[in-house]
């Protein structure tokens, strides 16, 4: 059977203010960024929920790509809306408002045709719902997962039950520290890997990524001259990472490391524009060229 | 003529408090860390100043190494004393006190026999004094330099005159941003390289190093499980970096990148213990082994 990814998560409108401009109610949500990034590598099936205000214009972003939207539920009400404002240096962001709207009552229903997906990405939703998704699918090869401080604080027991069923966890450094109760990332990684995920990918934004698999792998972020809007970079990383893994169909160290660089490559494009604007007009040639730039950015010779 | 490094900077007593313990008036100072790290590669000549309280016990650290101390001035008064306290996560430090003591009236006098050193490292002192040093030496192959926010704020014009005579600048990311007035590191690097130094090495602590030479090179810090005391890590990096450069006698990209990894290697040992304790009992075998670990930490394959 050929590879495909089932992604479950948020599809949203983002209103974003950066030092360089403002974007009003543009397409966002973790599943949106993830799906577009992953679709460069394998077919993606998206399960999420939107409101009546989510129209043809937004859906157009996913068309002409191997993204199946039959699992995108349309509900009465408004689409999840997140509004944020970045500091002058893009290093801090303030959430102005989070209107969950239809997302508040999201109960993922996995269409029958998605249930044999080879790979599953559980976006950042209630860990109970994440397990509901796992109960609906048939023996995926790899389950990857995201989470956030809200669930670590509020539903740690449920989250641990989910993590026990996950092979790959992708979180940021603050979340890794909070989840493990360890400041030191090496100790944090050991504690988290003991909870279930054998692969822990720690995203550090402009400082790159560290992956713990027993072995350790560190990759920088690409030093861009123009970072326009960091929104969605982490989800885009996850999409590039799992997309590459699914296409390569393996979980050995060589493939995992290439997947980290592929995730970093996709994320480096994401931040060049608002919303999904840059990754929607990205070509595979551009992706491969920047992957090679990562090689030249990090390469050094033995003594 | 064989390579050697002249280092001018502080030799001090440090009183350091970390979450793991306290060290009282132990050997510190940027020139001390630099000299010991660099001495693994080439002979080092140290120019600095200490007081009457700096005795045989402290000097013993430098003995049995190719470190010439004839330029270490002994003055009436007390040795420079810095006292600092680290936060629980080692990520922030508070200076409890800085007693410059004899260092306040330091006027570097370069002994005749040091004046033909192939490499010069200008530690973090008044940029006017840094130029005084350059006026006393004969055509070094490479001049490398450190500075800090105090001089960037207070003596920018003098600092710029010094930078015009420097090939390599090693500073941290906050200093690079302050010196250039640019938040974005790529833009900051372009602005700083236009001031003189063709090689800019930006130290980011636990997030590693980025080097700008026209080309860009990023290296992570080694993910250690036990970071005991970060004091001196930046100076130890500089010593390993310039020591390797001086021994390799080149400034091409291959040599520079190896030098960054060598600096990172030495720094990764420095933080494992208080003061110079760990680097003083370091062996070349251990250094080479950790250099190889950096290779396995960062290596990935082309697509």
């Amino acid at each position: 059977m050929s590879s495909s990814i089932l992604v479950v998560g948020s599809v949203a409108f983002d209103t974003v203010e950066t030092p360089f401009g403002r974007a009003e109610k543009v397409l966002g949500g973790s599943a949106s960024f993830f799906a577009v990034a992953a679709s460069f590598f394998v077919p993606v099936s998206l399960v999420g929920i939107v409101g009546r205000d989510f129209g043809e214009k937004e859906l157009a972003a996913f068309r002409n790509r191997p993204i199946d939207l039959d699992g995108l539920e349309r509900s009465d009400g408004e689409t999840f809306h997140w509004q944020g404002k970045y500091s002058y240096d893009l290093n801090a962001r303030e959430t102005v408002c989070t209107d969950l709207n239809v997302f508040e009552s999201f109960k993922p229903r996995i269409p029958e045709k998605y249930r044999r997906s080879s790979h599953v990405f559980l976006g950042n939703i209630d860990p109970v719902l994440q397990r509901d998704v796992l109960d609906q699918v048939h023996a995926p090869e790899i389950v990857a997962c995201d989470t956030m401080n809200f669930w670590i604080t509020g539903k740690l027991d449920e989250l641990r039950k989910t993590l026990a069923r996950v092979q790959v966890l992708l979180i940021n450094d603050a979340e890794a520290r909070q989840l493990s109760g360890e400041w030191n990332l090496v100790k944090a990684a050991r504690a988290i890997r003991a909870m279930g995920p054998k692969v822990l990918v720690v995203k550090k934004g402009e400082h790159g990524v560290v992956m713990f698999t027993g072995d350790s792998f560190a990759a920088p972020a690409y030093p861009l001259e123009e970072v326009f809007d960091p929104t969605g970079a982490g989800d885009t990383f996850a999409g590039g990472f799992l997309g590459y893994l699914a296409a390569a169909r393996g979980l050995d160290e060589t493939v995992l490391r290439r997947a980290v660089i592929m995730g970093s490559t996709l994320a480096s494009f994401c931040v060049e524009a608002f919303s999904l604007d840059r990754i929607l007009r990205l070509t595979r040639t551009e992706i491969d060229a920047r992957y090679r730039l990562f090689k030249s950015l990090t390469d050094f010779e033995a003594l």
Side-chain angles (χ1 to χ4, degrees), chain A residues 75-179:
Chain A
S75 173
D76 259 335
E78 286 185 72
T79 302
F80 179 17
H81 177 225
W82 175 80
Q83 182 169 352
K85 187 178 171 177
Y86 286 87
S87 61
Y88 74 102
D89 56 18
L90 297 176
N91 249 19
R93 79 176 182 195
E94 176 200 341
T95 291
V96 177
C97 69
T98 306
D99 301 318
L100 290 175
N101 298 331
V102 299
F103 195 60
E104 193 159 13
S105 50
F106 179 45
K107 290 276 293 178
R109 277 188 296 263
I110 312 303
E112 181 59 38
K113 64 175 175 175
Y114 292 179
R115 297 186 177 194
R116 295 190 179 276
S117 301
S118 62
H119 291 64
V120 174
F121 183 69
L122 304 170
N124 168 30
I125 56 175
D126 187 326
V128 176
L129 296 182
Q130 289 179 322
R131 279 207 311 289
D132 273 355
V133 171
L134 294 184
D135 291 340
Q136 295 176 62
V137 297
H138 300 296
E141 287 172 25
I142 294 170
V143 177
C145 174
D146 186 11
T147 191
M148 73 184 291
N149 54 1
F150 184 76
W151 309 118
I152 298 171
T153 309
K155 291 211 173 178
L156 185 58
D157 287 346
E158 296 295 342
L159 179 58
R160 291 187 74 128
K161 284 186 215 163
T162 299
L163 292 179
R165 298 171 64 179
V166 158
Q167 283 81 54
V168 181
L169 178 65
L170 301 108
I171 49 180
N172 70 34
D173 44 351
E175 290 156 355
R177 285 169 171 140
Q178 194 186 0
L179 177 57

Side-chain angles (χ1 to χ4, degrees), chain A residues 9-58:
Chain A
S10 63
V11 175
F13 284 119
D14 287 347
T15 296
V16 179
E17 211 174 316
T18 80
F20 313 112
R22 182 184 162 91
E24 187 90 20
K25 288 210 169 183
V26 291
L27 180 58
S30 63
S32 305
F33 287 101
F34 180 97
V36 170
S39 73
F40 284 96
F41 306 96
V42 290
V44 178
S45 306
L46 196 161
V47 170
I49 189 167
V50 293
R52 295 284 160 204
D53 53 349
F54 197 90
E56 275 311 310
K57 185 183 148 208
E58 287 74 31

Side-chain angles (χ1 to χ4, degrees), chain A residues 28-41 121 146 170 203 229-244 259-280 282 287:
Chain A
S30 63
S32 305
F33 287 101
F34 180 97
V36 170
S39 73
F40 284 96
F41 306 96
F121 183 69
D146 186 11
L170 301 108
K203 301 175 286 181
D229 175 14
T231 309
D235 304 311
T236 303
F237 172 91
F241 175 88
L242 199 62
Y244 182 81
V260 166
I261 299 301
M262 195 51 94
S264 304
T265 296
L266 271 290
S268 77
F269 285 110
C270 172
V271 302
E272 291 183 353
F274 277 132
S275 184
L276 289 85
D277 292 1
R278 183 64 182 95
I279 53 173
L280 282 173
L282 195 56
I287 292 172

